[in-house]
Every structure is written in C-alpha cells, then in structure tokens.
Amino acid sequence: DADVTQTPRNRITKTGKRIMLECSQTKGHDRMYWYRQDPGLGLRLIYYSFDVKDINKGEISDGYSVSRQAQAKFSLSLESAIPNQTALYFCATSDFFSPQSGRTYEQYFGPGTRLTVT
Amino acid sequence: GESVGLHLPTLSVQEGDNSIINCAYSNSASDYFIWYKQESGKGPQFIIDIRSNMDKRQGQRVTVLLNKTVKHLSLQIAATQPGDSAVYFCAETNQAGTALIFGKGTTLSVSS
C-alpha cells in the first residue's frame, strides 16, 4: 500500500463550488504539506503543518484553507473554486529536518490530485 | 526574495550519455539542497541531497555538485537510461528552514 494517499485522484468542479482534497499517510510523520503544480512553474507550497495544532501558510495560501484532523490526515479545501485553481495538487510528508544531525529533508509525495475548475 | 531556478526547461540526450542538469539559486544563506525526480503521472521522488558545507556528493549513478560562489547546483547522471526520462527539480530550504522551495523543473528526455 502507498505510504501517502490522496483522494480524489481526479476532480472536475464548477466555479464557486466548495471542494475538499484529502491526504492520508502511514509513515508516522508529523510534518505534512500541500503543494500546487502548474506547467512551467514547478511546485509551490500552499500550506504546511508540523503537528495537529500547528498550521502555517505557504507561498500561495490565498483561496485555500486546510485542516489537520489527525497526525495522519491533512485536507485542503477550496471554499469557492475558481478556474485559475485548476492544477495538479500534491500532498507530502516529512520527518523532522535536522541537517546538523544528518537527517535529510526528504519529503514523501502522494500521487497527486488533478483538479479542473470550469 | 527566495527563488530557485533552472537554466534549461528541457534536455535531450542519447542513451548511455552523461546528463547534466543545472540549477541556480538566489538565497546565499541556503544551507541545504535537494534533487527530486518526477515521472509522468507520479509525485516527485527524492534523488539526492547536499548540505552547504559540501561541494560534491555521490549516489548511485548520480552526483550533485554545489558551487556556493556562483550559487549554482547541478545534478549529473552517468550513463543515462530511458528510465531516467522525467522532470527533475532542485529545491532549497527557505530562510526559516521550515519548508522547501522548488525550482521550475527540467524535463529530461532520453532516446535510445
């Protein structure tokens, strides 16, 4: 079974609709992230969470909200979807980052959700 | 501001050749860099990382070089194979060390 799962994998919705993307992980990591990927723009960070009570905005949080329901679950919501939110969305998890102690900052990514807003 | 970029959006090589993918970064205070590979239809996967106190790090068929003087990072893939065809992203830690900033990616195409 995959360590990081995302549901749905594909979604088409209409402008103005509320939509939630869900992410679950079995790696036991405290840290979880939501990214958006657009062609030619790479991955941009939307929100990240270091534990259930810690939520932080990323580079492009406007128009999005998140909920960390449990250590293993992190959901992304679009309260009122608009066409320029059409993109590929990735969830990721990581362990505690400590380069001084030799720990990497490897993030483990889910398979992605392709969202189309018409 | 913080940003990570790549020199070329696409790179085409022949099977068996060595590939070099380049990345320029702007934050001179960055102390950690990482390369990811993203195959079609999948999420990015970790390839190799390097800390700023190193100039070079080698993995299996891959080498990452860091030139802090010119803020340049490169990924070298030896004996490139068709399975190496993917989009490659470099990333650096943000100033707070709390997240990764990704570059725009280079698409590597390997022909037989």
Side-chain angles (χ1 to χ4, degrees):
Chain A
D1 288 341
D3 294 321
V4 184
T5 57
Q6 293 183 234
T7 56
R9 293 294 313 279
N10 288 282
R11 180 73 182 267
I12 300 173
T13 192
K14 294 187 176 182
T15 298
K17 293 291 188 181
R18 183 180 188 275
I19 184 168
M20 178 182 288
L21 309 183
E22 298 185 344
C23 177
S24 294
Q25 53 112 347
T26 58
K27 297 195 71 67
H29 290 160
D30 286 328
R31 300 185 172 195
M32 298 187 73
Y33 311 81
W34 275 105
Y35 290 92
R36 166 179 174 158
Q37 185 174 33
D38 298 276
L41 294 180
L43 290 150
R44 293 183 291 167
L45 184 63
I46 306 173
Y47 271 96
Y48 60 102
S49 169
F50 284 178
D51 64 40
V52 175
K53 297 181 180 179
D54 181 69
I55 303 290
N56 303 279
K57 292 184 177 181
E59 179 186 355
I60 53 164
S61 59
D62 288 348
Y64 301 94
S65 62
V66 291
S67 174
R68 185 81 183 268
Q69 300 95 324
Q71 185 205 38
K73 296 184 181 296
F74 192 35
S75 60
L76 176 72
S77 293
L78 287 68
E79 296 299 326
S80 180
I82 56 177
N84 76 0
Q85 291 177 313
T86 293
L88 190 55
Y89 290 85
F90 286 101
C91 173
T93 75
S94 75
D95 205 344
F96 175 71
F97 174 52
S98 176
Q100 295 80 4
S101 62
R103 298 176 71 127
T104 72
Y105 201 170
E106 181 175 357
Q107 293 185 4
Y108 296 82
F109 285 80
T113 294
R114 185 167 297 281
L115 176 65
T116 303
V117 183
T118 62
Chain B
E2 300 174 88
S3 67
V4 178
L6 286 166
H7 293 302
L8 292 174
T10 61
L11 177 65
S12 296
V13 301
Q14 292 284 327
E15 181 178 1
D17 287 350
N18 295 331
S19 303
I20 300 176
I21 300 172
N22 295 304
C23 179
Y25 63 95
S26 60
N27 182 11
S28 58
S30 292
D31 66 356
Y32 182 81
F33 303 88
I34 193 167
W35 280 99
Y36 278 88
K37 173 186 180 181
Q38 185 179 21
E39 296 178 83
S40 180
K42 297 182 179 180
Q45 287 186 298
F46 171 90
I47 301 173
I48 192 168
D49 60 353
I50 188 168
R51 288 193 61 195
S52 61
N53 60 357
M54 302 173 69
D55 296 324
K56 179 180 180 179
R57 191 167 188 214
Q58 287 185 295
Q60 188 175 15
R61 280 201 308 119
V62 295
T63 300
V64 55
L65 299 176
L66 177 62
N67 184 331
K68 295 179 287 294
T69 302
V70 295
K71 292 186 285 188
H72 184 269
L73 189 70
S74 68
L75 177 71
Q76 300 180 358
I77 305 174
T80 312
Q81 302 168 359
D84 294 326
S85 294
V87 180
Y88 290 81
F89 294 97
C90 63
E92 63 176 327
T93 48
N94 63 0
Q95 288 189 339
T98 53
L100 290 175
I101 301 170
F102 284 80
K104 293 178 172 55
T106 290
T107 300
L108 175 65
S109 299
V110 183
S111 53
S112 302

